[in-house]
Amino acid sequence: MFKGLAAALLLGQSFAYDTILGFNSTPIIETRSLDEIYHAALLEGGTVTVWHGGDERTQQDTLKAAFEKRFPGITLNITVDLSKYLDGEIDQQLFNGNIHVDSIILQTLQDFPRWQQEGALLNYAPVGLESVFPAFKDPLSASWYGYSIFFWSISWNVEKLPHAGNISSYKDLLKPEFKDQLILTYPNDDDAVLFAFYQIMEVLGTKWFDNLLEQNPRWVRGTATPLNVLSEANSPQSVTFTSFGGLSPGQNINISFPNDADFVSWPQTAAILKHAPHPESAKLLHNYLLSPEYQSKVSWSVRHDIRPSGTMYPDIMHMPHTNPTAFARFMEDRVTVERLRFFFEKRLGTAQGLSPLIDEF
């Protein structure tokens, strides 16, 4: 019963799609306007199905609402789940030749070059791709590219910590006033969080982690959970560095970026599947995502010609204490990833609690 699944799991090692025969890396370069692609998408049926990495089902509701408002008559059918689960399901669809997803937007950056080499992605350059930082895209085939910068900052609830001042370093989190105040995602349950701890400990050593454990942090699953919990007035936790709230995370929440070790940032990466059932609708979405209209609204743009609006921050490539290209290299080194995962699992145990995406009954 597991024969098909086993074969799908081996796709990245030995299986080559029959479509790779005669594979051409030359991309289709889009020259149409958004309105012209919109018209083609309507004629196609007006639906685009997207799988987006995340750990809270409602995380992309804002994107869905903005896209459907911008393009009336087009439905953005978006599913949010953990990237580490979605990529395996994509492999199964590819193996079975039963593609029902149009667009994939994932944290598992190591998957995209593999899928491109296997001929699974559409070689397609949306309008504006030339302005995307070279390190965030496939330079030859244009089969994948970042669409928004995700990152972890230090975040805290100023109402719960009225006298904390600015928390400017990871060492600050070891101060006595933060004992029992920290809420953190298990590093052995999320590769981006794992990389965050890895970068910190490269500079501050394992002693920092030992001291962090003495602060009695609350460990949770999901990177949306810490920010949700510290935002709650009746929860005791007030500080995290493993949650994404953007550059303007909301009322009563302050953020800062550390000055003693790098923080994690990466381009959340998108691609259209080569045999997507709704290719015109997928093209509409990807052109919209890379447009100045959309890129001007994200915290950090993947485009070199758009800076964060209303902030003092430079573009992501010139932001101190982060390297947005480093996470991709880390994700490709699965030996190091697994070794680190087991280091933390030995110290913390396996991740406890249900995934935030498991439905309650």
Side-chain angles (χ1 to χ4, degrees):
M1 65 181 290
F2 296 108
K3 184 177 180 181
L5 175 60
L9 293 174
L10 291 173
L11 279 173
Q13 300 176 27
S14 61
F15 186 82
Y17 305 111
D18 55 7
T19 55
I20 202 170
L21 298 176
F23 175 70
N24 187 344
S25 63
T26 303
I28 302 166
I29 299 175
E30 185 60 81
T31 59
R32 295 173 296 174
S33 68
L34 274 176
D35 286 342
E36 289 172 325
I37 306 170
Y38 172 38
H39 180 69
L42 286 172
L43 293 176
E44 184 182 64
T47 297
V48 55
T49 298
V50 179
W51 281 7
H52 196 299
D55 48 26
E56 190 172 275
R57 295 195 190 282
T58 60
Q59 277 180 324
Q60 296 305 320
D61 284 1
T62 300
L63 171 58
K64 176 179 172 64
F67 182 75
E68 293 180 349
K69 181 179 179 180
R70 175 65 173 81
F71 303 105
I74 304 291
T75 299
L76 179 54
N77 178 20
I78 191 162
T79 297
V80 177
D81 202 346
L82 300 178
S83 294
K84 64 182 181 181
Y85 299 150
L86 291 179
D87 63 351
E89 294 183 36
I90 291 294
D91 277 337
Q92 288 182 274
Q93 287 186 39
L94 293 168
F95 179 78
N96 293 327
N98 180 28
I99 308 300
H100 57 267
V101 174
D102 299 304
S103 173
I104 47 178
I105 303 175
L106 302 175
Q107 176 182 305
T108 50
L109 305 187
Q110 79 279 6
D111 286 319
F112 292 93
R114 170 173 68 84
W115 283 327
Q116 188 275 331
Q117 291 168 11
E118 293 166 351
L121 306 180
L122 184 66
N123 299 332
Y124 173 74
V127 174
L129 185 64
E130 70 281 356
S131 297
V132 173
F133 287 107
F136 298 162
K137 60 188 176 184
D138 183 334
L140 297 178
S141 70
S143 60
W144 51 264
Y145 27 81
Y147 92 95
S148 182
I149 301 298
F150 284 21
F151 59 90
W152 311 143
S153 59
I154 299 174
S155 306
W156 68 98
N157 187 313
V158 294
E159 282 200 343
K160 295 180 183 179
L161 295 170
H163 305 297
N166 189 44
I167 305 174
S168 58
S169 71
Y170 293 117
K171 287 182 181 177
D172 283 347
L173 302 175
L174 306 180
K175 293 179 179 179
E177 58 261 40
F178 298 127
K179 187 176 179 65
D180 301 319
Q181 296 287 324
L182 293 164
I183 178 165
L184 303 171
T185 306
Y186 283 101
N188 45 316
D189 199 38
D190 184 288
D191 285 350
V193 177
L194 184 69
F195 188 49
F197 278 84
Y198 174 65
Q199 290 194 128
I200 297 167
M201 292 166 62
E202 273 196 313
V203 177
L204 303 181
T206 56
K207 180 63 175 175
W208 172 87
F209 182 66
D210 293 336
N211 292 336
L212 183 74
L213 293 181
E214 293 177 4
Q215 295 289 72
N216 191 34
R218 176 183 170 187
W219 298 97
V220 296
R221 299 192 67 188
T223 59
T225 306
L227 195 62
N228 290 339
V229 170
L230 68 86
S231 298
E232 296 170 354
N234 59 351
S235 69
Q237 288 79 29
S238 57
V239 188
T240 190
F241 61 88
T242 64
S243 208
F244 175 71
L247 296 176
S248 301
Q251 189 176 8
N252 301 326
I253 304 299
N254 273 5
I255 69 166
S256 68
F257 295 99
N259 56 26
D260 56 349
D262 281 358
F263 68 93
V264 174
S265 63
W266 75 94
Q268 191 81 341
T269 296
I272 300 172
L273 290 170
K274 187 174 184 178
H275 296 296
H278 308 103
E280 293 300 326
S281 301
K283 291 174 184 177
L284 178 64
L285 173 65
H286 284 235
N287 279 272
Y288 173 67
L289 292 176
L290 292 187
S291 69
E293 177 183 345
Y294 183 82
Q295 288 291 308
S296 62
K297 299 174 184 177
V298 299
S299 293
W300 263 303
S301 175
V302 295
R303 295 177 53 142
H304 59 70
D305 57 342
I306 299 177
R307 289 183 55 182
S309 60
T311 75
M312 61 182 176
Y313 301 112
D315 66 61
I316 190 62
M317 286 299 195
H318 294 91
M319 180 67 185
H321 297 293
T322 194
N323 180 351
T325 70
F327 182 54
R329 294 193 295 272
F330 175 78
M331 291 292 279
E332 290 174 352
D333 185 359
R334 302 314 293 175
V335 173
T336 297
V337 170
E338 293 306 307
R339 177 174 57 82
L340 286 168
R341 191 192 315 279
F342 289 127
F343 168 84
F344 287 106
E345 184 175 302
K346 184 177 181 180
R347 301 297 303 274
L348 302 174
T350 56
Q352 298 299 303
L354 294 177
S355 166
L357 284 162
I358 294 179
D359 292 326
E360 297 181 0
F361 295 95

